[in-house]
Amino acid sequence: MKKLKKNITTKILLILFILVSNSLFSQSFDFKNYNVEDGLSQSEVNVIFQDSRGYLWIGTSGGGVCQFDGITFTQYSEKDGLSGDMIRAITEDHDGNLWFASTLGGITKYNGRKFTIYNESDNLLYSSGFNTLFTDDKNRIWIGSNFGLSIYEDGYFKNFENNALLSAEIYQITTDSKNNTLLATNKGLVILSKKDTLLINTSNGLPSDEIKYVIEDKDGNYLIGTKNKGAIKLLSGSVDEKQNFEFTSLPIPNDISITSILIDNDNEIWFSSNENGVYLLHSNFQVTNITKKNGLKNNHISNLLKDRSGNVWLGTSGSGLIKLGTKAFTYYDNINGFDSPAIFSIIRDDNNHLWVTTGDDGIFEHNGLKTIHYNKNNSLPSNKVRSSTKDNKGNLWFATNGGLIKYKDGIFKKYTKEQGLPSNEIRSVFFDSKNRLWIGTNGSGIVLFENNIFKTYNTKNCELSHDYIHTIYEDSQKNIWIGTGLGVNKFSNNKFTTYSNSKGFCNYYIGSITEDKYGKLWFGTDRCIVRYDGIDFKPVTIDNGLSSNVIYFLHTDLKGNIWVGTNKGLDKITLNSYGQIDRIKNYGALEGFKGIECNSRAIYEDKKGILWIGTIAGLISFNPAEDKSNVFEPIIHLNKVKLFFEDVNWLKYTKDYKSWNNLPNDLVLDNNENHLTFEFSGINLTHPEYVQYSFKLEPLDKDWFPSTKKTSATYSNLPPGEYKFLVKARNNEGIWTQEAASFEFTITSPLWQTWWFYLIIFTIIGYILFKVTTFKEKRQIEISKELEKKVRERTILIEKQRDEKEILLKEIHHRVKNNLQVINSLLSIQSSYTNDSKSLALFDEAKNRIRSMALIHEKMYQTGDLAHIDFQDYILALTDDLIRTYSINTDIFLDIKIDEVKFDIDTIIPIGLLLNEIISNTLKYAFIDRAKGKIIIHLTQIDDNTFSLVAGDDGVGMESHILEQEDVSLGMELIKIFVEQLDGTIERLEQKGTVYQIDFKSRKKS
C-alpha cells in the first residue's frame, strides 16, 4: 500500500513538474561565465571549494587547481607540486591547510608555501581513483575513492579495505546535524553513527543503489541524488534501527543522474544533473529547469557550491565556472516578441496574460504557455504601438500610429479620425479615476474620450503649451498632468495651467511623470528629473546619484520607491521620513540589469509588486523581494610586499613568517631597503568589481588614504623607524572590513645614526678632548709661569714708563697752561698802552679765549685721565670764570643739563671756544639794564658718537636771521668756524632770548 501511494505521488509530481517547467521554460537567469579566456586553467570543472580565507578553489580535469578571488585566477599544477592535474576533490583542515585529491598520483596537502604529496608509500590505500574529501569536526580527513574509505588522523592513514560497506565506491562524504557521517556509495547510502553502521539501498525503498550525493535539509530530512533515477527525500523521523524508512518523491524527472545538491539562502533546492542542466525546486514546490535554453552555457553540471555570501556557483563539463547573479532580474529571450528591443509598454489583462507592445512589430500576448502575435497583417492598423492601458471593465486600450485600439475577448475595435479623433497618430493613453480615457496625440493635442465622445484640447482652443503629448498622469488630488514637448500642463476644474516658463526645469521636454508618497510630483526630461513640491521646481541629476540625466521613465512602486529608467541603467530612489532623497541605488549590467538602456515609459508593476521593464535587450522583470543587500564585508588579504618593485624571498630575512601569504613577522630592513610596495586584495564574491580599499602607513600617514580601486600602495625613501601598514576594504554597499589587515616592519638606522655609534663617537671625542685639555692645561701652566715672569718684568717697565709719561704729559699741559697765561699777561701789559675802548674790548676777548684753552690744559693735568676731560666739570669752571671776568650787575641763573660724557682734547677745544663766544656775547649784550637773567647750556647724547648742544640765554635777543647774514661780527664768525670744525650744524631756536642748537659728532683721532 505504501509503495502504491509512493507511485501515485510520483506520477502527480511528475505531471506538475511538466506543467510548471513548461510554463517557466523561457525564463533566462543572470549567469556569469568564467572560462579559459578569463584565466581558468581548464574548462572542465570537477569541484568547487571555498576556503576559510574566502578564496574559491576550482579543481579541473587536466588543468590542476585554480585559486579565484572574484577577479583573478591563480593556477597551480604538477609543475608547482600537485600530485596530479586532474583534481577530483578539495577540503581544508582546521590548520588552514588545503587537501587536493587527484585522479592519479595521490593526495596533496598545501600550506600556502609548500606542496606535500601522500600516496601508497605513506600507507594510503591507493594512489588513484579518488572521488571525495571531507574534514570532520575532529580534524580528520576522510578520503573516498573507487576502492573504499581512508581516514587521515594525527599524521597517519587508516584504511577500511576489509570492511564490506566501507570498501565500496564512495562518491561523497558529509555529516548531518546529529553528527552522523553520511557516505554516498555505489551500494547505497551508508550512515555512520556512534552506535552502528546503517546501509540504505533499493531493498529499503531507494530507487537506486548508485547514490551520487546526499544533503540534509532544514527539517533534518535527507535529499538523495542517484545515478539515472533522479532524486528522492528520506524523512528524518523514519531513520532508526527499525529501518521502516519513509521516502517522498521530488518533482524532478526520475530518469536523470544527479551530480550535486545545494540548498540556497532562500531555502530553494538546486539539483545539478549530468545532461539536463539544473532543476531548481522553489519553496512553493514549483520547479524550474535551467538549461542552455535559458542561460546556461552547458547542460552538464558537475557540481554546485554556495559561498559564504550566498552566491551559487556551478561547475560545468566543458564550459568552465558559472556564477548565478541576482535572482531579482529575469530575462525572456526565448519568448516570441519579448526579446524585442522596441518594447514601449507592458500590461496584464484580467486573465493574467502578459501583453507587450512594440514600436515596430505590433503586440504580443503571452498566457504562460504560448505567445500570440498581433500585427498589421492580422489585427492592427499599425505595427507601431507606443502605449497601453486597461479600463475598469477589463478592456485593453492601445495607442498606435493608425488610431486608438480597444481589445475585448479576442476582438479589436479601431477608433480613427472618422470617429472623431483629431489624428490617427496616438502616443499615449490613460484612464483617470473617473474612468475617462485621455489620449495623447503626436501633434494634435490631447483628447478626452467620455460617453463615446471625443473632445480635443490643443494650442488653438485652450492654454495647452504644446500639441505633442508624450505622457499623461493623474495625481492624488485628481489633477491631470500632461507632459508635452514644451513643458508640463495641469488640467484642473476644466482649466489648463501651463508651466513651460517655470524656473527649475533643466529641459522642457517632459517624457514621464509620477507622484511620490509625500505628494511631490516628479517629471522626467532628457536632461534631468524635476521635482515639484507645489511651490518650486528643483532638478535631480547625476550629481545627486542618478546613473544618467537622460530619463526614459519614472514610476512609484507600491512601497513608495521611485524607479528611474535611463540610457545607462535603472535607478531606485528611496526617500526618508522627511520626503527627501535618502539613497539612489544604481542597477547596471554588473548588478544583473543587462538591458542597460531602457525604453520610454516602458515600465509596469503587477499586483505582486513585480516590475516589468522594456529595454533594448528585450523584456526584463524585476522582483524587489529578491533584491538582496550585500551585507557581507570583504575579507581583506595582504598578499605580497615588494622591495624596489621586485619580489623578495623573505625567508632569507627571517624564518618566522605568516601562513599563506608568506610574509615575515617582525621584518627588519637595512636603512637603504626603504622602498616598499604592498599588494592586497579584498574578497567579496558578490560584486568583486566594486571592492574598494583604504590604507595608511603608521606613523607616516595621519589619515587613511581615500577609497580607491588600486590594489597596491608604494612608499619610497622611508626614513629609519618602526612602521605598521594597514589596509581595509569595502563592498558595493559601503560596508568596510571591521578589522584591517596589517604588516609591521622596522627600517634600521644607518651606522652613523645608531645610538652605539653616537656613544662610541662621543667617547672618542670625549677622550680626545680630555687629552687635548690635559695637554693644554699642562702647557698653559708652563706658559702661564713664563708669562707671569714676563708680565711682572714688563709691568715694572710699563709702570715706570707710565709714570714717566704721566709726569711728562702733566708737565706739558702745565707748561702749555703757563705759557697761555704768559701770553694773557703780555696782552694785559699791551692793552695798558692804549685808551681806545674798542681796542681794549678786543684785548679782553682775546684774553677770554686764551683763558678757555688754558682751562682745558689745567683740567687735564689736574685729573688722572690725560686723554679725556669731564665736560660738565669743564663747563661749570668756564662759565664761572667768564661771569667773574665780565662782572655784570645782573643775577645770573645757570640752567645747565649735561649728560655724563667725556671728550678728548680735539673735541673739547672747539666746544670750549664755541661756548666762550656764546656766553661772552650773552654777558655783554643779553642782560643790559636787566636785574636777572638765565644762561642755558644743555648737552644730550643722541647715540654713540652724536650729540646735541643747546646754548643761549633768555635775554633781549638778537636778530632772527643773524646766522644767514654774511657781514657779521667776529664772534659770530668764530661761532660758525667752531661749528664747522665739529662737523656740526647750528640753528637758532624760536624761543625767548637767543638760543642756538648745535648738533655735532665727537672728533676721532685718525
Side-chain angles (χ1 to χ4, degrees):
M1 185 67 182
K2 188 179 293 187
K3 188 174 183 180
L4 177 61
K5 179 180 178 181
K6 174 184 168 183
N7 291 335
I8 294 173
T9 303
T10 301
K11 290 179 181 179
I12 293 174
L13 290 173
L14 184 58
I15 293 171
L16 179 63
F17 161 74
I18 293 171
L19 291 175
V20 173
S21 61
N22 285 338
S23 69
L24 301 175
F25 179 80
S26 297
Q27 294 181 6
S28 294
F29 293 84
D30 179 26
F31 288 117
K32 180 174 178 58
N33 187 246
Y34 301 90
N35 214 326
V36 290
E37 60 269 20
D38 302 296
L40 190 64
S41 59
Q42 208 258 357
S43 63
E44 189 169 343
V45 176
N46 293 328
V47 60
I48 313 169
F49 180 82
Q50 186 175 29
D51 68 17
S52 59
R53 292 163 288 274
Y55 293 102
L56 288 187
W57 294 84
I58 300 96
T60 70
S61 186
V65 68
C66 292
Q67 182 191 47
F68 185 48
D69 61 6
I71 300 292
T72 304
F73 289 93
T74 303
Q75 302 179 10
Y76 299 92
S77 65
E78 285 190 59
K79 294 180 180 179
D80 301 295
L82 282 174
S83 60
D85 286 337
M86 299 181 70
I87 306 300
R88 296 288 300 170
I90 306 173
T91 192
E92 181 181 11
D93 63 28
H94 295 179
D95 299 318
N97 301 307
L98 287 175
W99 295 72
F100 305 102
S102 306
T103 301
L104 298 171
I107 304 294
T108 305
K109 182 176 75 171
Y110 180 52
N111 64 2
R113 183 173 62 90
K114 177 183 178 182
F115 291 92
T116 303
I117 297 176
Y118 300 94
N119 49 37
E120 294 177 6
S121 63
D122 301 291
N123 199 37
L124 192 60
L125 185 60
Y126 289 99
S127 296
S128 62
F130 301 108
N131 297 316
T132 185
L133 293 172
F134 175 74
T135 304
D136 65 16
D137 59 355
K138 297 180 181 179
N139 202 27
R140 296 180 298 182
I141 308 298
W142 295 62
I143 305 164
S145 71
N146 292 335
F147 310 103
L149 177 68
S150 298
I151 296 179
Y152 179 83
E153 182 178 13
D154 297 331
Y156 298 96
F157 288 97
K158 180 180 180 181
N159 303 311
F160 297 86
E161 69 272 18
N162 296 323
N163 187 306
L165 291 179
L166 303 183
S167 61
E169 294 182 23
I170 300 175
Y171 306 121
Q172 184 231 352
I173 305 172
T174 187
T175 57
D176 62 15
S177 58
K178 299 176 183 178
N179 207 30
N180 298 318
T181 303
L182 311 178
L183 282 68
T185 78
N186 66 337
K187 294 181 180 181
L189 175 64
V190 177
I191 302 177
L192 302 177
S193 67
K194 295 180 179 180
K195 296 181 179 180
D196 54 16
T197 301
L198 185 63
L199 174 64
I200 305 174
N201 53 28
T202 52
S203 64
N204 304 109
L206 279 177
S208 171
D209 286 340
E210 290 274 350
I211 307 302
K212 305 298 287 186
Y213 208 89
V214 60
I215 190 173
E216 184 182 22
D217 68 15
K218 66 181 182 62
D219 299 319
N221 304 311
Y222 297 141
L223 303 175
I224 302 168
T226 72
K227 181 179 180 181
N228 298 326
K229 294 294 183 179
I232 196 168
K233 181 191 292 186
L234 173 59
L235 301 182
S236 62
S238 66
V239 180
D240 54 28
E241 63 278 359
K242 297 179 181 179
Q243 300 193 13
N244 293 323
F245 305 116
E246 293 186 17
F247 296 90
T248 299
S249 298
L250 299 172
I252 62 174
N254 59 9
D255 59 350
I256 62 173
S257 292
I258 302 298
T259 57
S260 184
I261 306 173
L262 178 147
I263 302 174
D264 66 20
N265 285 352
D266 297 322
N267 202 38
E268 296 186 329
I269 304 172
W270 296 68
F271 299 90
S272 63
S273 71
N274 202 30
E275 296 177 349
N276 302 90
V278 174
Y279 294 89
L280 179 56
L281 179 59
H282 303 281
S283 55
N284 60 5
F285 225 58
Q286 291 183 346
V287 175
T288 301
N289 184 207
I290 306 172
T291 65
K292 291 173 63 177
K293 294 182 179 180
N294 47 9
L296 287 181
K297 295 289 185 180
N298 193 317
N299 285 342
H300 186 173
I301 308 301
S302 57
N303 54 94
L304 301 168
L305 172 77
K306 180 183 72 174
D307 67 29
R308 59 169 45 94
S309 298
N311 302 300
V312 175
W313 298 81
L314 296 78
T316 74
S317 180
S319 297
L321 180 68
I322 297 175
K323 172 189 169 184
L324 173 66
T326 176
K327 293 182 184 179
F329 291 102
T330 304
Y331 304 89
Y332 303 89
D333 303 337
N334 295 307
I335 296 180
N336 184 27
F338 283 20
D339 60 346
S340 170
I343 295 175
F344 284 98
S345 75
I346 308 103
I347 196 168
R348 280 195 185 274
D349 62 22
D350 289 346
N351 297 318
N352 206 33
H353 295 179
L354 192 65
W355 296 68
V356 298
T357 72
T358 70
D360 57 3
D361 203 14
I363 302 172
F364 296 87
E365 175 193 4
H366 186 67
N367 63 6
L369 295 175
K370 63 178 181 178
T371 302
I372 302 174
H373 184 198
Y374 305 102
N375 55 32
K376 191 174 182 180
N377 296 328
N378 54 26
S379 306
L380 302 179
S382 171
N383 284 338
K384 192 172 184 179
V385 185
R386 297 297 297 256
S387 178
S388 61
T389 188
K390 185 173 68 170
D391 62 24
N392 59 7
K393 296 180 181 179
N395 301 311
L396 298 182
W397 297 77
F398 301 97
T400 79
N401 256 25
L404 176 67
I405 302 297
K406 173 184 176 182
Y407 174 83
K408 180 66 174 178
D409 297 332
I411 300 174
F412 288 92
K413 183 178 180 180
K414 181 171 65 172
Y415 298 86
T416 65
K417 293 174 67 175
E418 296 178 358
Q419 285 75 37
L421 284 172
S423 170
N424 289 338
E425 292 189 36
I426 311 299
R427 290 187 64 87
S428 58
V429 288
F430 177 80
F431 274 100
D432 64 18
S433 57
K434 299 177 182 179
N435 203 40
R436 298 181 300 179
L437 179 63
W438 293 83
I439 305 162
T441 70
N442 192 33
S444 298
I446 188 168
V447 180
L448 176 59
F449 184 52
E450 186 178 19
N451 299 324
N452 290 321
I453 298 174
F454 292 100
K455 183 177 181 180
T456 301
Y457 301 92
N458 55 39
T459 55
K460 295 179 181 179
N461 61 18
C462 68
E463 297 298 324
L464 193 66
S465 63
H466 205 257
D467 287 331
Y468 286 84
I469 311 300
H470 302 295
T471 185
I472 308 166
Y473 185 81
E474 182 180 25
D475 67 18
S476 57
Q477 304 301 315
K478 311 303 180 186
N479 300 311
I480 303 297
W481 294 84
I482 302 125
T484 75
L486 189 60
V488 66
N489 299 263
K490 181 177 74 173
F491 181 78
S492 179
N493 299 322
N494 293 318
K495 180 182 178 181
F496 285 91
T497 303
T498 181
Y499 297 89
S500 58
N501 295 320
S502 299
K503 294 182 179 179
F505 280 92
C506 48
N507 189 27
Y508 289 110
Y509 165 83
I510 309 298
S512 54
I513 307 172
T514 192
E515 182 182 16
D516 64 30
K517 59 185 178 181
Y518 296 98
K520 308 294 191 300
L521 288 167
W522 300 64
F523 304 100
T525 78
D526 56 6
R527 294 185 68 182
C528 74
I529 297 174
V530 179
R531 191 182 186 193
Y532 179 53
D533 60 4
I535 301 175
D536 298 318
F537 295 91
K538 296 181 179 179
V540 180
T541 67
I542 56 176
D543 294 334
N544 302 101
L546 293 178
S547 58
S548 171
N549 286 334
V550 180
I551 310 302
Y552 287 141
F553 64 69
L554 292 170
H555 173 75
T556 303
D557 67 18
L558 298 175
K559 294 184 178 180
N561 302 305
I562 299 171
W563 295 88
V564 184
T566 76
N567 63 326
K568 292 186 178 180
L570 180 69
D571 297 336
K572 174 186 174 183
I573 301 178
T574 305
L575 305 178
N576 60 25
S577 58
Y578 299 99
Q580 302 301 317
I581 295 176
D582 182 57
R583 183 189 180 196
I584 299 180
K585 183 176 182 179
N586 310 122
Y587 298 85
L590 294 177
E591 289 76 26
F593 187 66
K594 296 179 180 178
I596 306 296
E597 184 175 334
C598 302
N599 292 330
S600 297
R601 296 168 292 282
I603 185 169
Y604 169 76
E605 183 176 10
D606 62 23
K607 294 179 180 179
K608 296 180 180 179
I610 306 297
L611 297 179
W612 300 82
I613 303 165
T615 74
I616 61 171
L619 183 66
I620 299 174
S621 67
F622 176 76
N623 184 357
E626 294 289 351
D627 184 25
K628 307 294 175 57
S629 296
N630 183 11
V631 299
F632 298 94
E633 65 182 58
I635 301 175
I636 186 68
H637 292 291
L638 186 57
N639 301 321
K640 188 179 292 186
V641 178
K642 292 183 175 181
L643 190 60
F644 293 99
F645 299 114
E646 299 291 337
D647 289 331
V648 179
N649 182 7
W650 295 114
L651 295 179
K652 294 181 179 179
Y653 287 74
T654 177
K655 298 302 181 182
D656 183 17
Y657 58 89
K658 301 179 186 293
S659 59
W660 281 94
N661 57 17
N662 297 320
L663 296 180
N665 290 317
D666 302 322
L667 176 64
V668 178
L669 298 170
D670 289 338
N671 66 286
N672 59 347
E673 296 175 316
N674 59 354
H675 188 291
L676 298 177
T677 299
F678 304 91
E679 295 183 356
F680 39 81
S681 62
I683 301 176
N684 186 278
L685 299 177
T686 302
H687 287 296
E689 302 87 355
Y690 290 133
V691 173
Q692 294 193 3
Y693 305 90
S694 182
F695 53 83
K696 68 176 179 178
L697 181 63
E698 294 179 345
L700 188 65
D701 297 328
K702 301 302 180 184
D703 299 314
W704 289 89
F705 192 86
S707 58
T708 176
K709 288 189 175 182
K710 289 175 54 178
T711 56
S712 66
T714 298
Y715 290 86
S716 60
N717 296 320
L718 291 174
E722 295 181 354
Y723 294 95
K724 184 177 184 180
F725 179 76
L726 297 162
V727 60
K728 58 184 180 179
R730 72 169 190 178
N731 68 8
N732 60 304
E733 300 280 354
I735 299 176
W736 288 93
T737 49
Q738 295 184 12
E739 184 176 353
S742 63
F743 178 72
E744 298 182 19
F745 63 97
T746 300
I747 297 179
T748 59
S749 299
L751 174 65
W752 58 88
Q753 291 183 0
T754 57
W755 66 268
W756 51 267
F757 181 82
Y758 285 129
L759 180 61
I760 293 174
I761 294 300
F762 287 147
T763 302
I764 293 174
I765 293 174
Y767 179 76
I768 293 174
L769 289 175
F770 173 76
K771 296 299 290 184
V772 169
T773 302
T774 303
F775 173 78
K776 288 177 66 177
E777 288 179 351
K778 183 178 179 181
R779 180 60 182 158
Q780 189 65 37
I781 292 172
E782 295 174 354
I783 294 174
S784 297
K785 291 179 179 179
E786 294 178 2
L787 286 176
E788 286 177 2
K789 180 180 179 182
K790 292 181 178 179
V791 166
R792 283 195 298 270
E793 295 174 352
R794 183 64 177 168
T795 300
I796 294 172
L797 177 62
I798 291 174
E799 288 178 348
K800 182 179 179 181
Q801 291 176 344
R802 181 196 65 191
D803 293 341
E804 293 174 351
K805 183 177 181 181
E806 286 183 358
I807 294 171
L808 178 62
L809 286 174
K810 287 184 178 181
E811 182 64 24
I812 291 171
H813 284 298
H814 182 68
R815 290 182 179 275
V816 169
K817 180 248 184 186
N818 288 340
N819 289 334
L820 288 173
Q821 286 180 341
V822 170
I823 294 171
N824 206 21
S825 298
L826 292 173
L827 287 174
S828 296
I829 295 171
Q830 186 68 37
S831 65
S832 65
Y833 290 96
T834 180
N835 293 320
D836 182 58
S837 60
K838 291 183 178 179
S839 298
L840 290 173
L842 290 173
F843 279 116
D844 289 338
E845 290 177 0
K847 289 189 290 182
N848 288 338
R849 293 181 184 112
I850 292 170
R851 280 200 302 271
S852 69
M853 289 187 288
L855 183 62
I856 293 171
H857 291 280
E858 182 182 359
K859 292 294 181 181
M860 281 189 170
Y861 75 75
Q862 287 179 351
T863 64
D865 188 353
L866 296 176
H868 300 88
I869 297 175
D870 185 288
F871 186 69
Q872 183 171 358
D873 185 41
Y874 170 71
I875 293 301
L876 291 173
L878 176 64
T879 306
D880 182 66
D881 182 71
L882 289 173
I883 291 173
R884 283 188 286 103
T885 299
Y886 284 95
S887 302
I888 63 175
N889 295 320
T890 303
D891 291 333
I892 304 299
F893 173 71
L894 296 177
D895 181 8
I896 299 176
K897 296 178 182 179
I898 299 174
D899 290 350
E900 292 185 4
V901 295
K902 290 185 178 182
F903 294 115
D904 60 19
I905 194 168
D906 290 332
T907 302
I908 199 72
I909 288 176
I911 293 176
L913 293 173
L914 175 66
L915 288 174
N916 179 79
E917 296 301 324
I918 293 174
I919 296 171
S920 296
N921 286 336
T922 296
L923 295 173
K924 287 191 296 182
Y925 306 113
F927 306 127
I928 298 174
D929 298 326
R930 297 186 66 174
K932 57 182 179 179
K934 181 172 66 173
I935 295 176
I936 302 167
I937 302 175
H938 295 170
L939 179 68
T940 304
Q941 184 170 3
I942 306 302
D943 56 34
D944 289 344
N945 196 41
T946 304
F947 302 86
S948 178
L949 175 65
V950 176
D953 58 73
D954 63 348
V956 296
M958 299 178 66
E959 296 179 27
S960 59
H961 301 290
I962 192 170
L963 290 174
E964 287 81 15
Q965 297 177 5
E966 294 183 1
D967 186 14
V968 294
S969 64
L970 175 62
M972 185 57 64
E973 184 69 27
L974 289 173
I975 288 173
K976 291 181 180 181
I977 291 171
F978 295 145
V979 170
E980 186 176 345
Q981 287 180 2
L982 290 170
D983 295 327
T985 60
I986 183 170
E987 64 173 319
R988 182 178 174 182
L989 301 180
E990 295 294 332
Q991 62 186 66
K992 182 181 178 180
T994 303
V995 181
Y996 301 100
Q997 179 175 325
I998 300 101
D999 294 331
F1000 66 93
K1001 296 181 182 295
S1002 175
R1003 301 185 68 183
K1004 302 288 185 180
K1005 290 184 178 181
S1006 57

